[in-house]
Amino acid sequence: MTLDVWLLLGAAIVIAAIASVRVAHRSGLPSLLLFLGFGLALGDSGLGIPFNDPDLAKQIGMIALAVILAEGGLTTTWSHVRRSVPLALILATIGVATSIVVMAVIVQALLGLELTTALILGAVLAPTDAAAVFSVLRRLPLPPRLAGALEAESGFNDAPTVIAVVLLSSMAGAPSLGTFVLDTTIELVIGAAVGLAVGPAGAYALRRVALPASGLYPIAVLALTFVSYGGAVLLHGSGFLAIYLTALILGNSRLPHRAATRGFAEGAAWLAQIGLFVMLGLLASPKEMGSAILPGLIAGTVLVLIARPVSVAVSAVVAQVLRLARVSWREQAFLSWAGLRGAIPIVLATIPWAADVEGSKHVFNQVFIIVIVFTLLQGPTLPWVARRLGVTAPGEAHDLEVESAPLEELQADLLQVKVSAGSQLHGVEIFELRLPAGAAVTLVVRDGTSFVPAADTRIRADDQLLVVTTAACRDQVERRLRAVSRRGKLAGWYGERGLE
């Protein structure tokens, strides 16, 4: 196919994926399943587009996961997750290690796998997926501590599991426990150090550098997160931990155009998710998955009913012993069931496949089946499980979503008017502007402070006025403001109409 055809096909896929998000939202299913379906429909069992390069899939997957993690950090409110961070860190470290060991021991006995293969399967399935979890959870009124623990865990547990899978895939035979723990610890420390260095430095620089266009700030923020990622990788540290911490710091710093930055990051993350899942669907071959269905269902059952609950219980005990958090059995049960798997396990399964580890293609097929089957099982039932366990908080306020331009639904616009020196707006009272019905001056910014003006508030030079106006009368508002700026409040008497 020519480049034009590829571009047309790619655009059509993105549009169809965007439309499918609405379907997923109504049904309660994570949208990843529909995106994977698009990939399967395009692959060798559908339209026949060939794609069988696990190494390329791994590289693309890592980049996409980095974008998704950056968005997760940028859009996470620190005040919401701060109390849950100790528990989340335990779940992401001790919990992950427990899950890997439990999975490896049981699937080795049940499926007769080699120890290294069993450990790889356990490591691949250990991380939860933030996109999958919160496409469902954000519609639930959960207590902040419980929601924060799930959110932070999903951000933190990617780093140790990526390290574990890479180390296990590069080791011949059974790995040395001491070497494994030491290498993992070093990579996590380096990644954390880089993230904690780049984040504050980037926030400091962005607050003091006046960029010529507001659209450059979101690009600069996302670029800084990738500086952190690349720097950590070059220093043999965890790039994923570095990028998440950098994004978390930048997202909670007072930066210019924060709302635009969050919107840009969310859009980039959605595009990364769509591309990632479609690619993984292309990589999968349904014709080869018949032999992986039964082992996959067995491994998935072990993960959901044994490994995840045991890892949560061990983490809860450790947190209580260290006096960091108390987790009731109801909360433990919900944390266990809410540990949805998504793109991350499938991407991680490409690492041993790309490294030609024996049996890795079979592991990939099993993981693909586990993600689809158990996401279909767990996703739609999460609200019901939360209510049955009594962990919902009906009176809890939901997060307030703030958009920079929410007036589109009202067919209205937000105008910013700068009163320059010499403008005839100086000295005019707000009511004397005589703006048409449907328009109002809603805020005045003066000498670095803002206030809501009264009808008799006098406008001064160097003021900034924020004017809300319906689209129908916007042109009339702009003409009136230009007229008053040129000839003052009696502009109409002078015949000034504010025309261009």
PDB file of all heavy atoms in Angstrom, residues 31-66:
ATOM      1  N   SER A  31     -11.903   0.590  27.224  1.00  0.00           N
ATOM      2  CA  SER A  31     -11.874   0.756  25.771  1.00  0.00           C
ATOM      3  C   SER A  31     -10.775  -0.069  25.110  1.00  0.00           C
ATOM      4  O   SER A  31     -10.818  -0.284  23.895  1.00  0.00           O
ATOM      5  CB  SER A  31     -11.695   2.234  25.421  1.00  0.00           C
ATOM      6  OG  SER A  31     -10.578   2.781  26.108  1.00  0.00           O
ATOM      7  N   LEU A  32      -9.817  -0.553  25.903  1.00  0.00           N
ATOM      8  CA  LEU A  32      -8.719  -1.322  25.324  1.00  0.00           C
ATOM      9  C   LEU A  32      -9.232  -2.541  24.562  1.00  0.00           C
ATOM     10  O   LEU A  32      -8.622  -2.975  23.579  1.00  0.00           O
ATOM     11  CB  LEU A  32      -7.727  -1.745  26.406  1.00  0.00           C
ATOM     12  CG  LEU A  32      -8.190  -2.775  27.455  1.00  0.00           C
ATOM     13  CD1 LEU A  32      -7.865  -4.192  27.018  1.00  0.00           C
ATOM     14  CD2 LEU A  32      -7.534  -2.491  28.789  1.00  0.00           C
ATOM     15  N   LEU A  33     -10.339  -3.122  25.017  1.00  0.00           N
ATOM     16  CA  LEU A  33     -10.850  -4.313  24.350  1.00  0.00           C
ATOM     17  C   LEU A  33     -11.303  -4.007  22.921  1.00  0.00           C
ATOM     18  O   LEU A  33     -11.071  -4.796  22.005  1.00  0.00           O
ATOM     19  CB  LEU A  33     -12.006  -4.900  25.156  1.00  0.00           C
ATOM     20  CG  LEU A  33     -11.648  -5.452  26.542  1.00  0.00           C
ATOM     21  CD1 LEU A  33     -12.889  -5.932  27.266  1.00  0.00           C
ATOM     22  CD2 LEU A  33     -10.632  -6.577  26.417  1.00  0.00           C
ATOM     23  N   LEU A  34     -11.943  -2.856  22.744  1.00  0.00           N
ATOM     24  CA  LEU A  34     -12.374  -2.481  21.402  1.00  0.00           C
ATOM     25  C   LEU A  34     -11.184  -2.160  20.514  1.00  0.00           C
ATOM     26  O   LEU A  34     -11.169  -2.504  19.331  1.00  0.00           O
ATOM     27  CB  LEU A  34     -13.319  -1.281  21.476  1.00  0.00           C
ATOM     28  CG  LEU A  34     -14.652  -1.542  22.201  1.00  0.00           C
ATOM     29  CD1 LEU A  34     -15.462  -0.258  22.286  1.00  0.00           C
ATOM     30  CD2 LEU A  34     -15.446  -2.617  21.489  1.00  0.00           C
ATOM     31  N   PHE A  35     -10.160  -1.499  21.097  1.00  0.00           N
ATOM     32  CA  PHE A  35      -8.967  -1.189  20.314  1.00  0.00           C
ATOM     33  C   PHE A  35      -8.257  -2.476  19.876  1.00  0.00           C
ATOM     34  O   PHE A  35      -7.778  -2.581  18.746  1.00  0.00           O
ATOM     35  CB  PHE A  35      -8.007  -0.310  21.116  1.00  0.00           C
ATOM     36  CG  PHE A  35      -8.597   1.014  21.540  1.00  0.00           C
ATOM     37  CD1 PHE A  35      -8.043   1.724  22.585  1.00  0.00           C
ATOM     38  CD2 PHE A  35      -9.694   1.553  20.894  1.00  0.00           C
ATOM     39  CE1 PHE A  35      -8.566   2.942  22.991  1.00  0.00           C
ATOM     40  CE2 PHE A  35     -10.240   2.766  21.279  1.00  0.00           C
ATOM     41  CZ  PHE A  35      -9.672   3.463  22.334  1.00  0.00           C
ATOM     42  N   LEU A  36      -8.157  -3.436  20.797  1.00  0.00           N
ATOM     43  CA  LEU A  36      -7.570  -4.725  20.434  1.00  0.00           C
ATOM     44  C   LEU A  36      -8.384  -5.394  19.329  1.00  0.00           C
ATOM     45  O   LEU A  36      -7.823  -6.023  18.427  1.00  0.00           O
ATOM     46  CB  LEU A  36      -7.511  -5.646  21.663  1.00  0.00           C
ATOM     47  CG  LEU A  36      -6.437  -5.373  22.703  1.00  0.00           C
ATOM     48  CD1 LEU A  36      -6.638  -6.270  23.919  1.00  0.00           C
ATOM     49  CD2 LEU A  36      -5.040  -5.581  22.139  1.00  0.00           C
ATOM     50  N   GLY A  37      -9.702  -5.248  19.406  1.00  0.00           N
ATOM     51  CA  GLY A  37     -10.556  -5.830  18.380  1.00  0.00           C
ATOM     52  C   GLY A  37     -10.278  -5.245  17.010  1.00  0.00           C
ATOM     53  O   GLY A  37     -10.279  -5.963  15.991  1.00  0.00           O
ATOM     54  N   PHE A  38     -10.025  -3.912  16.956  1.00  0.00           N
ATOM     55  CA  PHE A  38      -9.665  -3.292  15.682  1.00  0.00           C
ATOM     56  C   PHE A  38      -8.390  -3.926  15.127  1.00  0.00           C
ATOM     57  O   PHE A  38      -8.280  -4.203  13.928  1.00  0.00           O
ATOM     58  CB  PHE A  38      -9.461  -1.790  15.854  1.00  0.00           C
ATOM     59  CG  PHE A  38     -10.738  -1.018  16.049  1.00  0.00           C
ATOM     60  CD1 PHE A  38     -10.823  -0.037  17.010  1.00  0.00           C
ATOM     61  CD2 PHE A  38     -11.848  -1.274  15.267  1.00  0.00           C
ATOM     62  CE1 PHE A  38     -11.993   0.678  17.201  1.00  0.00           C
ATOM     63  CE2 PHE A  38     -13.021  -0.568  15.438  1.00  0.00           C
ATOM     64  CZ  PHE A  38     -13.097   0.410  16.413  1.00  0.00           C
ATOM     65  N   GLY A  39      -7.406  -4.114  16.012  1.00  0.00           N
ATOM     66  CA  GLY A  39      -6.149  -4.713  15.569  1.00  0.00           C
ATOM     67  C   GLY A  39      -6.337  -6.125  15.045  1.00  0.00           C
ATOM     68  O   GLY A  39      -5.768  -6.501  14.004  1.00  0.00           O
ATOM     69  N   LEU A  40      -7.144  -6.926  15.753  1.00  0.00           N
ATOM     70  CA  LEU A  40      -7.403  -8.291  15.298  1.00  0.00           C
ATOM     71  C   LEU A  40      -8.124  -8.300  13.953  1.00  0.00           C
ATOM     72  O   LEU A  40      -7.851  -9.138  13.091  1.00  0.00           O
ATOM     73  CB  LEU A  40      -8.241  -9.031  16.341  1.00  0.00           C
ATOM     74  CG  LEU A  40      -7.534  -9.378  17.659  1.00  0.00           C
ATOM     75  CD1 LEU A  40      -8.542  -9.912  18.675  1.00  0.00           C
ATOM     76  CD2 LEU A  40      -6.428 -10.408  17.420  1.00  0.00           C
ATOM     77  N   ALA A  41      -9.053  -7.339  13.779  1.00  0.00           N
ATOM     78  CA  ALA A  41      -9.793  -7.271  12.518  1.00  0.00           C
ATOM     79  C   ALA A  41      -8.890  -6.884  11.351  1.00  0.00           C
ATOM     80  O   ALA A  41      -9.151  -7.254  10.205  1.00  0.00           O
ATOM     81  CB  ALA A  41     -10.943  -6.264  12.645  1.00  0.00           C
ATOM     82  N   LEU A  42      -7.822  -6.156  11.641  1.00  0.00           N
ATOM     83  CA  LEU A  42      -6.907  -5.741  10.583  1.00  0.00           C
ATOM     84  C   LEU A  42      -5.833  -6.778  10.299  1.00  0.00           C
ATOM     85  O   LEU A  42      -5.191  -6.735   9.248  1.00  0.00           O
ATOM     86  CB  LEU A  42      -6.230  -4.416  10.967  1.00  0.00           C
ATOM     87  CG  LEU A  42      -7.127  -3.189  11.073  1.00  0.00           C
ATOM     88  CD1 LEU A  42      -6.348  -2.025  11.689  1.00  0.00           C
ATOM     89  CD2 LEU A  42      -7.660  -2.793   9.705  1.00  0.00           C
ATOM     90  N   GLY A  43      -5.608  -7.709  11.242  1.00  0.00           N
ATOM     91  CA  GLY A  43      -4.501  -8.661  11.152  1.00  0.00           C
ATOM     92  C   GLY A  43      -4.737  -9.788  10.174  1.00  0.00           C
ATOM     93  O   GLY A  43      -5.624  -9.742   9.311  1.00  0.00           O
ATOM     94  N   ASP A  44      -3.935 -10.849  10.355  1.00  0.00           N
ATOM     95  CA  ASP A  44      -3.958 -11.940   9.386  1.00  0.00           C
ATOM     96  C   ASP A  44      -5.267 -12.722   9.375  1.00  0.00           C
ATOM     97  O   ASP A  44      -5.569 -13.427   8.408  1.00  0.00           O
ATOM     98  CB  ASP A  44      -2.786 -12.902   9.626  1.00  0.00           C
ATOM     99  CG  ASP A  44      -2.783 -13.462  11.053  1.00  0.00           C
ATOM    100  OD1 ASP A  44      -3.755 -13.219  11.794  1.00  0.00           O
ATOM    101  OD2 ASP A  44      -1.807 -14.150  11.407  1.00  0.00           O
ATOM    102  N   SER A  45      -6.073 -12.586  10.453  1.00  0.00           N
ATOM    103  CA  SER A  45      -7.374 -13.258  10.459  1.00  0.00           C
ATOM    104  C   SER A  45      -8.492 -12.352   9.955  1.00  0.00           C
ATOM    105  O   SER A  45      -9.644 -12.766   9.903  1.00  0.00           O
ATOM    106  CB  SER A  45      -7.710 -13.746  11.873  1.00  0.00           C
ATOM    107  OG  SER A  45      -6.768 -14.706  12.297  1.00  0.00           O
ATOM    108  N   GLY A  46      -8.142 -11.095   9.616  1.00  0.00           N
ATOM    109  CA  GLY A  46      -9.136 -10.158   9.128  1.00  0.00           C
ATOM    110  C   GLY A  46      -8.779  -9.669   7.744  1.00  0.00           C
ATOM    111  O   GLY A  46      -8.867 -10.405   6.768  1.00  0.00           O
ATOM    112  N   LEU A  47      -8.343  -8.399   7.674  1.00  0.00           N
ATOM    113  CA  LEU A  47      -7.974  -7.815   6.382  1.00  0.00           C
ATOM    114  C   LEU A  47      -6.652  -8.347   5.853  1.00  0.00           C
ATOM    115  O   LEU A  47      -6.304  -8.111   4.692  1.00  0.00           O
ATOM    116  CB  LEU A  47      -7.910  -6.289   6.505  1.00  0.00           C
ATOM    117  CG  LEU A  47      -9.231  -5.576   6.786  1.00  0.00           C
ATOM    118  CD1 LEU A  47      -9.009  -4.069   6.877  1.00  0.00           C
ATOM    119  CD2 LEU A  47     -10.257  -5.895   5.714  1.00  0.00           C
ATOM    120  N   GLY A  48      -5.907  -9.034   6.701  1.00  0.00           N
ATOM    121  CA  GLY A  48      -4.674  -9.660   6.232  1.00  0.00           C
ATOM    122  C   GLY A  48      -3.451  -8.777   6.223  1.00  0.00           C
ATOM    123  O   GLY A  48      -2.480  -9.056   5.510  1.00  0.00           O
ATOM    124  N   ILE A  49      -3.462  -7.686   7.010  1.00  0.00           N
ATOM    125  CA  ILE A  49      -2.276  -6.832   7.097  1.00  0.00           C
ATOM    126  C   ILE A  49      -1.213  -7.563   7.902  1.00  0.00           C
ATOM    127  O   ILE A  49      -1.428  -7.920   9.063  1.00  0.00           O
ATOM    128  CB  ILE A  49      -2.615  -5.488   7.759  1.00  0.00           C
ATOM    129  CG1 ILE A  49      -3.613  -4.713   6.901  1.00  0.00           C
ATOM    130  CG2 ILE A  49      -1.348  -4.658   7.970  1.00  0.00           C
ATOM    131  CD1 ILE A  49      -4.076  -3.408   7.515  1.00  0.00           C
ATOM    132  N   PRO A  50      -0.043  -7.821   7.336  1.00  0.00           N
ATOM    133  CA  PRO A  50       0.970  -8.616   8.043  1.00  0.00           C
ATOM    134  C   PRO A  50       1.741  -7.787   9.072  1.00  0.00           C
ATOM    135  O   PRO A  50       2.133  -6.652   8.805  1.00  0.00           O
ATOM    136  CB  PRO A  50       1.903  -9.071   6.904  1.00  0.00           C
ATOM    137  CG  PRO A  50       1.792  -7.983   5.877  1.00  0.00           C
ATOM    138  CD  PRO A  50       0.384  -7.456   5.966  1.00  0.00           C
ATOM    139  N   PHE A  51       1.916  -8.352  10.251  1.00  0.00           N
ATOM    140  CA  PHE A  51       2.776  -7.730  11.269  1.00  0.00           C
ATOM    141  C   PHE A  51       3.194  -8.818  12.243  1.00  0.00           C
ATOM    142  O   PHE A  51       2.372  -9.348  12.993  1.00  0.00           O
ATOM    143  CB  PHE A  51       2.040  -6.619  12.015  1.00  0.00           C
ATOM    144  CG  PHE A  51       2.920  -5.898  13.018  1.00  0.00           C
ATOM    145  CD1 PHE A  51       3.959  -5.082  12.595  1.00  0.00           C
ATOM    146  CD2 PHE A  51       2.719  -6.067  14.379  1.00  0.00           C
ATOM    147  CE1 PHE A  51       4.779  -4.437  13.511  1.00  0.00           C
ATOM    148  CE2 PHE A  51       3.521  -5.423  15.300  1.00  0.00           C
ATOM    149  CZ  PHE A  51       4.562  -4.606  14.866  1.00  0.00           C
ATOM    150  N   ASN A  52       4.478  -9.163  12.209  1.00  0.00           N
ATOM    151  CA  ASN A  52       4.964 -10.243  13.065  1.00  0.00           C
ATOM    152  C   ASN A  52       6.381  -9.938  13.531  1.00  0.00           C
ATOM    153  O   ASN A  52       7.285 -10.746  13.408  1.00  0.00           O
ATOM    154  CB  ASN A  52       4.928 -11.582  12.308  1.00  0.00           C
ATOM    155  CG  ASN A  52       5.181 -12.756  13.235  1.00  0.00           C
ATOM    156  OD1 ASN A  52       4.807 -12.737  14.409  1.00  0.00           O
ATOM    157  ND2 ASN A  52       5.827 -13.790  12.708  1.00  0.00           N
ATOM    158  N   ASP A  53       6.559  -8.734  14.061  1.00  0.00           N
ATOM    159  CA  ASP A  53       7.884  -8.292  14.499  1.00  0.00           C
ATOM    160  C   ASP A  53       7.829  -7.942  15.979  1.00  0.00           C
ATOM    161  O   ASP A  53       7.508  -6.807  16.346  1.00  0.00           O
ATOM    162  CB  ASP A  53       8.328  -7.079  13.683  1.00  0.00           C
ATOM    163  CG  ASP A  53       9.785  -6.699  13.921  1.00  0.00           C
ATOM    164  OD1 ASP A  53      10.322  -7.084  14.984  1.00  0.00           O
ATOM    165  OD2 ASP A  53      10.370  -6.016  13.062  1.00  0.00           O
ATOM    166  N   PRO A  54       8.115  -8.901  16.860  1.00  0.00           N
ATOM    167  CA  PRO A  54       8.010  -8.627  18.304  1.00  0.00           C
ATOM    168  C   PRO A  54       8.992  -7.570  18.790  1.00  0.00           C
ATOM    169  O   PRO A  54       8.691  -6.838  19.737  1.00  0.00           O
ATOM    170  CB  PRO A  54       8.292  -9.989  18.950  1.00  0.00           C
ATOM    171  CG  PRO A  54       9.053 -10.753  17.923  1.00  0.00           C
ATOM    172  CD  PRO A  54       8.533 -10.283  16.600  1.00  0.00           C
ATOM    173  N   ASP A  55      10.159  -7.474  18.141  1.00  0.00           N
ATOM    174  CA  ASP A  55      11.134  -6.480  18.576  1.00  0.00           C
ATOM    175  C   ASP A  55      10.632  -5.066  18.291  1.00  0.00           C
ATOM    176  O   ASP A  55      10.721  -4.174  19.135  1.00  0.00           O
ATOM    177  CB  ASP A  55      12.476  -6.714  17.869  1.00  0.00           C
ATOM    178  CG  ASP A  55      13.575  -5.823  18.431  1.00  0.00           C
ATOM    179  OD1 ASP A  55      13.872  -5.941  19.639  1.00  0.00           O
ATOM    180  OD2 ASP A  55      14.110  -4.988  17.676  1.00  0.00           O
ATOM    181  N   LEU A  56      10.077  -4.853  17.097  1.00  0.00           N
ATOM    182  CA  LEU A  56       9.502  -3.544  16.767  1.00  0.00           C
ATOM    183  C   LEU A  56       8.305  -3.254  17.670  1.00  0.00           C
ATOM    184  O   LEU A  56       8.130  -2.121  18.140  1.00  0.00           O
ATOM    185  CB  LEU A  56       9.078  -3.516  15.294  1.00  0.00           C
ATOM    186  CG  LEU A  56       8.397  -2.231  14.808  1.00  0.00           C
ATOM    187  CD1 LEU A  56       9.318  -1.030  14.980  1.00  0.00           C
ATOM    188  CD2 LEU A  56       7.963  -2.381  13.352  1.00  0.00           C
ATOM    189  N   ALA A  57       7.497  -4.282  17.924  1.00  0.00           N
ATOM    190  CA  ALA A  57       6.342  -4.107  18.810  1.00  0.00           C
ATOM    191  C   ALA A  57       6.787  -3.715  20.209  1.00  0.00           C
ATOM    192  O   ALA A  57       6.160  -2.866  20.860  1.00  0.00           O
ATOM    193  CB  ALA A  57       5.525  -5.399  18.867  1.00  0.00           C
ATOM    194  N   LYS A  58       7.895  -4.288  20.660  1.00  0.00           N
ATOM    195  CA  LYS A  58       8.414  -3.944  21.986  1.00  0.00           C
ATOM    196  C   LYS A  58       8.855  -2.486  22.033  1.00  0.00           C
ATOM    197  O   LYS A  58       8.529  -1.764  22.982  1.00  0.00           O
ATOM    198  CB  LYS A  58       9.603  -4.850  22.333  1.00  0.00           C
ATOM    199  CG  LYS A  58      10.202  -4.573  23.709  1.00  0.00           C
ATOM    200  CD  LYS A  58      11.513  -5.327  23.901  1.00  0.00           C
ATOM    201  CE  LYS A  58      12.632  -4.685  23.104  1.00  0.00           C
ATOM    202  NZ  LYS A  58      13.958  -5.276  23.394  1.00  0.00           N
ATOM    203  N   GLN A  59       9.572  -2.039  21.004  1.00  0.00           N
ATOM    204  CA  GLN A  59      10.047  -0.661  20.979  1.00  0.00           C
ATOM    205  C   GLN A  59       8.886   0.334  20.937  1.00  0.00           C
ATOM    206  O   GLN A  59       8.854   1.317  21.684  1.00  0.00           O
ATOM    207  CB  GLN A  59      10.966  -0.449  19.767  1.00  0.00           C
ATOM    208  CG  GLN A  59      12.197  -1.343  19.738  1.00  0.00           C
ATOM    209  CD  GLN A  59      13.113  -1.132  20.936  1.00  0.00           C
ATOM    210  OE1 GLN A  59      13.185  -0.039  21.485  1.00  0.00           O
ATOM    211  NE2 GLN A  59      13.789  -2.186  21.355  1.00  0.00           N
ATOM    212  N   ILE A  60       7.926   0.071  20.053  1.00  0.00           N
ATOM    213  CA  ILE A  60       6.753   0.954  19.961  1.00  0.00           C
ATOM    214  C   ILE A  60       5.973   0.917  21.270  1.00  0.00           C
ATOM    215  O   ILE A  60       5.497   1.943  21.764  1.00  0.00           O
ATOM    216  CB  ILE A  60       5.862   0.536  18.780  1.00  0.00           C
ATOM    217  CG1 ILE A  60       6.607   0.734  17.459  1.00  0.00           C
ATOM    218  CG2 ILE A  60       4.552   1.335  18.790  1.00  0.00           C
ATOM    219  CD1 ILE A  60       5.860   0.217  16.244  1.00  0.00           C
ATOM    220  N   GLY A  61       5.845  -0.270  21.835  1.00  0.00           N
ATOM    221  CA  GLY A  61       5.103  -0.416  23.084  1.00  0.00           C
ATOM    222  C   GLY A  61       5.732   0.353  24.224  1.00  0.00           C
ATOM    223  O   GLY A  61       5.022   0.986  25.031  1.00  0.00           O
ATOM    224  N   MET A  62       7.046   0.330  24.313  1.00  0.00           N
ATOM    225  CA  MET A  62       7.723   1.053  25.385  1.00  0.00           C
ATOM    226  C   MET A  62       7.514   2.562  25.258  1.00  0.00           C
ATOM    227  O   MET A  62       7.283   3.261  26.246  1.00  0.00           O
ATOM    228  CB  MET A  62       9.229   0.735  25.371  1.00  0.00           C
ATOM    229  CG  MET A  62       9.552  -0.689  25.789  1.00  0.00           C
ATOM    230  SD  MET A  62       9.031  -1.040  27.480  1.00  0.00           S
ATOM    231  CE  MET A  62       9.637  -2.711  27.679  1.00  0.00           C
ATOM    232  N   ILE A  63       7.580   3.069  24.031  1.00  0.00           N
ATOM    233  CA  ILE A  63       7.364   4.501  23.811  1.00  0.00           C
ATOM    234  C   ILE A  63       5.928   4.877  24.170  1.00  0.00           C
ATOM    235  O   ILE A  63       5.669   5.880  24.851  1.00  0.00           O
ATOM    236  CB  ILE A  63       7.669   4.874  22.354  1.00  0.00           C
ATOM    237  CG1 ILE A  63       9.159   4.670  22.050  1.00  0.00           C
ATOM    238  CG2 ILE A  63       7.272   6.322  22.072  1.00  0.00           C
ATOM    239  CD1 ILE A  63       9.526   4.823  20.589  1.00  0.00           C
ATOM    240  N   ALA A  64       4.977   4.052  23.735  1.00  0.00           N
ATOM    241  CA  ALA A  64       3.572   4.324  24.035  1.00  0.00           C
ATOM    242  C   ALA A  64       3.319   4.277  25.541  1.00  0.00           C
ATOM    243  O   ALA A  64       2.600   5.124  26.085  1.00  0.00           O
ATOM    244  CB  ALA A  64       2.676   3.323  23.307  1.00  0.00           C
ATOM    245  N   LEU A  65       3.902   3.294  26.224  1.00  0.00           N
ATOM    246  CA  LEU A  65       3.732   3.209  27.680  1.00  0.00           C
ATOM    247  C   LEU A  65       4.340   4.421  28.380  1.00  0.00           C
ATOM    248  O   LEU A  65       3.795   4.896  29.384  1.00  0.00           O
ATOM    249  CB  LEU A  65       4.370   1.925  28.208  1.00  0.00           C
ATOM    250  CG  LEU A  65       3.648   0.623  27.883  1.00  0.00           C
ATOM    251  CD1 LEU A  65       4.403  -0.559  28.484  1.00  0.00           C
ATOM    252  CD2 LEU A  65       2.218   0.634  28.396  1.00  0.00           C
ATOM    253  N   ALA A  66       5.453   4.919  27.851  1.00  0.00           N
ATOM    254  CA  ALA A  66       6.062   6.117  28.439  1.00  0.00           C
ATOM    255  C   ALA A  66       5.122   7.314  28.322  1.00  0.00           C
ATOM    256  O   ALA A  66       4.967   8.090  29.272  1.00  0.00           O
ATOM    257  CB  ALA A  66       7.400   6.417  27.746  1.00  0.00           C
TER     258      ALA A  66
END
